Amino acid sequence: MTAREAIFGAIGAAGERAVADEAAIAAAAAGLLARCAPTRPAQGAGTAREIFLRRLRSPALGASVAAVGRAAEVPDAVRRHLAAAGLAPVVALQPHPALRALDWSGFDVRPAIAIDETAAVGWAHGGIAETGSLVFRSGPDSPTLFAFLPLHHIVVVPARRIRPWLEDYATLEAGEAWPRNLTLVTGPSGTTDIEGRLVRGAHGPAHLHVLVLDEGG
Amino acid sequence: MSAMAEPASFRARVAAAVADPRLAEAIARTTGTARRKRAAAVASWADFASARALGRDIKDHVIAHLGHYLALFERNARASGAEVHWARTAQEACDITVRICRAAGARRVTRAKSMLGEEIGLPHALREAGIERIETDLAEHIIQLAGERPSHIVWPALHKTREQVAELFRARHHDAARGADVAALVASARRELRAGFFAAEVGISGANFLIADSGAVCTVTNEGNAELTTTPPRVHIVTAGIEKLVPSTAHAMTLLRLLVRSATGAEVTQYTTFHCGPKRAGDPDGPEAFHIVLVDNGRTRMLAEGLREMLRCLRCGACLNHCVVFRTIGGHAYGGTYPGPMGAVLTPALDGLAANRDLPQACTLNGQCQEVCPVAIPLPKLLRGWRDRSWREGLEPATLRRSLALWRFCVLRPRLYRLAAGGAVRLVRMFARNGWIRRMPFAGGWTRDRDFPAPPARTFLEQYHRSSSARGERR
Ligand code: SF4
């Protein structure tokens, strides 16, 4: 008997019917999901964009956020943010076409990300108002490590892609397949491992700055 | 496993723990913060109670159809390019993991904290196989340096004060922080571990959820070490208990809200990642191979033996933080991988009741754990179940069995009982000084740590009879 057979055998012996009625199980699972919406924590008033901004500004999250009207304004917003942090205009640029299309003159732009990169500019697939989370789908234009290696992570998220709830990015949209990594990033990295005290910048970024882009939405 | 030999008996470990004032301080610092933050998070969630009932029902649904969901998960994980392995026991799980490491030519692995990995003894198995292991979670890094075991399922280094961590880092880090400032200690670990992420051939993680309808594995961390552990190496191995299944990503979100608020009081972890298969064509990063080791190790036995409800556990740690016993004795005293109330239920199931019969006894049954459990596990009921079984299997010591038999003999004979009780009260009062008993033969276990109030001069029944006859005279 293989380990697999033994485990399924033991589950069967513990009382599960050998031939499960798949339709009934699916209906029960859907019923559970239908109960989810009314149990969710209250969000307060406002559009998803407003709530998202509010979450990101809350001190508990530890991020910073600014709105930009047009994509072309992003490099300037990045420059200002870096200067305010006392950093030179040197960035690793996520290989996203919308970012690459912008005018980065005056920047030292790195095409790949280094192990101890100081600053990276990223483009998120979406945002979640409930938690102030950024959604990244790994792929050719969104390497996973861009969200984890830099000390300062500056991320553009299109306002029209901000959805109210965690569940809103939990299902596939038309034509999508699951990426290798679907990652929700909520604030900068942190740890409470020593005496329960929160410290930012454990392994991932110590600083997260979000640019909400209103153009096109 | 520990650098310092741990006492063999539960009682001896407890005695050592309560004698350590630094431990008491360390436990109080972390669990106090955790309780405060959880209470605030729950208070600001109007429908927490119905979310909790839903979380319970989602887990019960999966456990009721475990075979169905396991098969579905396996099918979808394979379709995503993952290799799925099955392990009946801890030994099998370690053997599979070590075999994959060897086949990948791994000399070094990085590991993101996983309680299942601790449960199956993976750190030990890797050492035996001569594979260097780099723990990447800060707390796991601390206890790896100290050569110790985790003492909490969310904060494995909870038993260490910042001063102790500072001392450890000064001795072991290449570029250690000066002083015991927590932020400087975290920065020191960040510097120390950074290169390690890229020096491993294999990255090993656990799973917080296994998503049946996509075949993905969800990890949650606040540090970002899971993704740094699972992305650069050529091979990613997940070791996960078969109870971690949920029907879909959307179902996982309800459980995620419950898990994180109960664990740290935050709304969501900083990093929540669904890992689905190996690197895709065109992906700039990610492992070439993705292995998932599904581990039973006693879980199907728990299904069969009345511990089904325990399989709901999300490993949030709330029951530990709220337990008066855990807060007094800390995690190491429990002796197993899992401490606190959930550990007192799990350890006898995983490691046998005979060697662990003290654990379900070390409980006041105050019910706090069940009250804070985000999936409403009836921990006190399960603990009483173990006590019952321990009695039925004759595991309780002979002295206890004999005294209870004697007590039963007396209780069934009211005259004898009254006589014995009256005698006992008078005897015990002979040791009283100013209403308190400081020392008494055969009561050292109690009086060593606390005084005992002297009983009233007469038993309840004697007083009752006296007062009712007095009332009778007046009438
Ligand atoms: S038993 Fe409940 S409270 Fe304890 S760790 Fe598990 S889920 Fe959390």
Side-chain angles (χ1 to χ4, degrees):
Chain A
M1 192 167 31
T2 65
R4 186 185 188 281
E5 285 160 10
I7 291 170
F8 278 90
I11 292 168
E16 184 176 341
R17 270 180 295 152
V19 187
D21 178 351
E22 305 227 344
I25 296 175
L32 290 165
L33 214 50
R35 280 168 58 193
C36 152
T39 72
R40 293 188 291 218
Q43 286 194 341
T47 61
R49 178 186 178 280
E50 287 161 359
I51 296 163
F52 181 75
L53 287 171
R54 205 154 63 221
R55 297 305 308 138
L56 273 167
R57 286 191 179 118
S58 95
L61 211 78
S64 56
V65 63
V68 282
R70 297 183 311 117
E73 295 162 13
V74 165
D76 258 346
V78 170
R79 197 189 327 266
R80 277 197 306 276
H81 181 73
L82 291 176
L87 296 171
V90 182
V91 291
L93 198 63
Q94 186 184 318
H96 192 282
L99 281 177
R100 294 272 150 117
L102 301 175
D103 177 8
W104 294 96
S105 48
F107 279 84
D108 179 354
V109 172
R110 311 268 166 92
I113 188 141
I115 181 168
D116 52 0
E117 198 70 65
T118 302
V121 179
W123 187 279
H125 174 69
I128 296 170
E130 173 185 358
T131 49
S133 305
L134 298 164
V135 182
F136 290 91
R137 288 170 56 89
S138 69
D141 57 10
S142 185
T144 297
L145 290 176
F146 261 80
F148 294 91
L149 288 176
L151 194 62
H152 295 257
H153 196 202
I154 304 165
V155 183
V156 182
V157 58
R160 69 190 152 79
R161 303 237 9 124
I162 298 168
R163 306 268 157 85
W165 300 104
L166 284 169
E167 283 83 357
D168 294 330
Y169 280 103
T171 47
L172 294 176
E173 293 168 28
E176 271 182 359
W178 292 107
R180 181 184 80 86
N181 275 178
L182 174 75
T183 300
L184 313 184
V185 172
T186 313
S189 149
T191 182
T192 55
D193 276 352
I194 302 175
E195 294 190 350
R197 279 250 301 276
L198 175 67
V199 175
R200 298 290 179 191
H203 287 301
H207 309 275
L208 176 69
H209 184 59
V210 179
L211 298 171
V212 173
L213 174 63
D214 287 313
E215 183 180 54
Chain B
M1 284 172 98
S2 168
M4 285 163 290
E6 282 178 15
S9 85
F10 177 66
R11 275 159 198 273
R13 287 193 301 268
V14 168
V18 295
D20 182 354
R22 276 213 291 197
L23 178 64
E25 180 64 35
I27 296 171
R29 285 179 187 173
T30 300
T31 62
T33 310
R35 285 196 304 277
R36 234 181 4 261
K37 286 168 74 178
R38 178 210 168 263
V42 167
S44 66
W45 186 357
D47 277 311
F48 174 71
S50 41
R52 181 171 180 255
L54 178 58
R56 175 198 64 200
D57 293 350
I58 291 173
K59 291 300 290 187
D60 281 353
H61 166 76
V62 170
I63 294 157
H65 305 289
L66 194 54
H68 165 82
Y69 280 115
L70 277 172
L72 187 63
F73 174 78
E74 181 188 40
R75 200 160 63 234
N76 287 321
R78 290 214 165 118
S80 76
E83 283 186 50
V84 179
H85 311 261
W86 299 87
R88 271 168 289 200
T89 60
Q91 183 68 50
E92 279 185 6
C94 288
D95 290 349
I96 294 168
T97 308
V98 166
R99 209 165 55 228
I100 299 168
C101 290
R102 288 221 168 104
R107 300 208 335 269
R108 206 181 275 135
V109 304
T110 42
R111 207 170 78 96
K113 170 181 169 286
S114 139
M115 288 314 295
L116 181 97
E118 301 292 332
E119 176 192 320
I120 61 176
L122 195 53
H124 180 75
L126 290 169
R127 192 174 54 227
E128 295 282 286
I131 298 168
E132 186 194 341
R133 166 177 59 98
I134 302 172
E135 294 291 347
T136 63
D137 172 77
L138 175 59
E140 291 281 346
H141 171 64
I142 293 169
I143 61 170
Q144 182 179 29
L145 290 183
E148 292 171 352
R149 293 188 297 117
S151 66
H152 189 291
I153 60 175
V154 174
W155 291 279
L158 168 135
H159 57 285
K160 287 242 176 294
T161 60
R162 62 174 175 271
E163 294 83 4
Q164 290 172 303
V165 175
E167 209 173 293
L168 196 61
F169 283 4
R170 262 199 306 280
R172 305 290 298 277
H173 279 181
H174 294 91
D175 184 9
R178 290 167 194 283
D181 171 54
V182 177
L185 294 172
V186 173
S188 178
R190 181 184 171 108
R191 282 194 299 275
E192 182 77 16
L193 287 164
R194 184 118 302 220
F197 287 120
F198 289 83
E201 292 82 16
V202 174
I204 304 178
S205 75
N208 290 90
F209 305 106
L210 302 171
I211 315 294
D213 77 346
S214 67
V217 170
C218 175
T219 60
V220 302
T221 75
N222 291 326
E223 297 177 7
N225 61 311
E227 294 77 0
L228 286 170
T229 297
T230 60
T231 302
R234 292 198 307 270
V235 178
H236 174 194
I237 307 176
V238 175
T239 57
I242 54 174
E243 83 285 11
K244 291 283 168 205
L245 278 163
V246 293
S248 73
T249 313
H251 289 89
M253 295 307 180
T254 288
L255 295 171
L256 182 68
R257 289 189 186 100
L258 288 164
L259 165 66
V260 183
R261 283 176 177 79
S262 303
T264 64
E267 292 182 352
V268 66
T269 30
Q270 274 94 324
Y271 302 104
T272 307
T273 292
F274 298 83
H275 310 257
C276 190
K279 180 178 183 170
R280 310 282 195 268
D283 276 3
D285 53 23
E288 274 132 42
F290 183 47
H291 296 266
I292 304 167
V293 186
L294 296 173
V295 185
D296 180 344
N297 199 35
R299 286 160 177 75
T300 53
R301 205 172 52 236
M302 288 168 63
L303 263 184
E305 295 184 352
L307 290 168
R308 188 173 279 265
E309 290 144 321
M310 196 59 218
L311 296 176
R312 290 180 199 153
C313 179
L314 304 176
R315 309 284 192 260
C316 75
C319 59
L320 281 61
N321 303 333
H322 289 78
C323 173
V324 287
V325 177
F326 177 88
R327 284 158 56 196
T328 308
I329 68 176
H332 287 154
Y334 288 81
T337 303
Y338 302 103
M342 53 84 81
V345 174
L346 278 173
T347 305
L350 296 172
D351 301 342
L353 179 59
N356 293 291
R357 56 158 288 279
D358 282 323
L359 300 184
Q361 302 288 351
C363 171
T364 65
L365 296 178
N366 69 12
Q368 273 274 306
C369 49
Q370 176 170 357
E371 211 167 289
V372 298
C373 176
V375 281
I377 299 177
L379 292 151
K381 183 190 92 176
L382 300 176
L383 288 167
R384 275 200 308 273
W386 279 126
R387 290 182 182 185
D388 186 42
R389 185 152 156 199
S390 173
W391 180 265
R392 279 186 285 116
E393 292 184 1
L395 300 175
E396 299 305 312
T399 42
L400 179 66
R401 298 186 80 86
R402 272 202 295 274
S403 347
L404 274 175
L406 180 66
W407 181 78
R408 180 175 185 271
F409 181 86
C410 296
V411 179
L412 291 175
R413 291 162 181 79
R415 279 166 179 280
L416 177 62
Y417 182 81
R418 260 173 247 157
L419 200 66
V425 162
R426 287 169 178 83
L427 187 68
V428 166
R429 281 177 62 85
M430 289 168 58
F431 297 94
R433 299 279 174 279
N434 304 324
W436 288 90
I437 295 164
R438 298 235 153 77
R439 215 166 294 141
M440 190 171 72
F442 305 113
W446 179 283
T447 55
R448 193 174 47 243
D449 297 315
R450 48 235 184 277
D451 295 344
F452 185 78
R458 312 240 173 278
T459 67
F460 173 76
L461 270 180
E462 286 166 350
Q463 295 182 48
Y464 178 77
H465 287 314
R466 182 182 278 193
S467 75
S468 56
S469 60
R471 274 204 305 276
E473 283 166 11
R474 249 183 269 124
R475 227 181 268 137

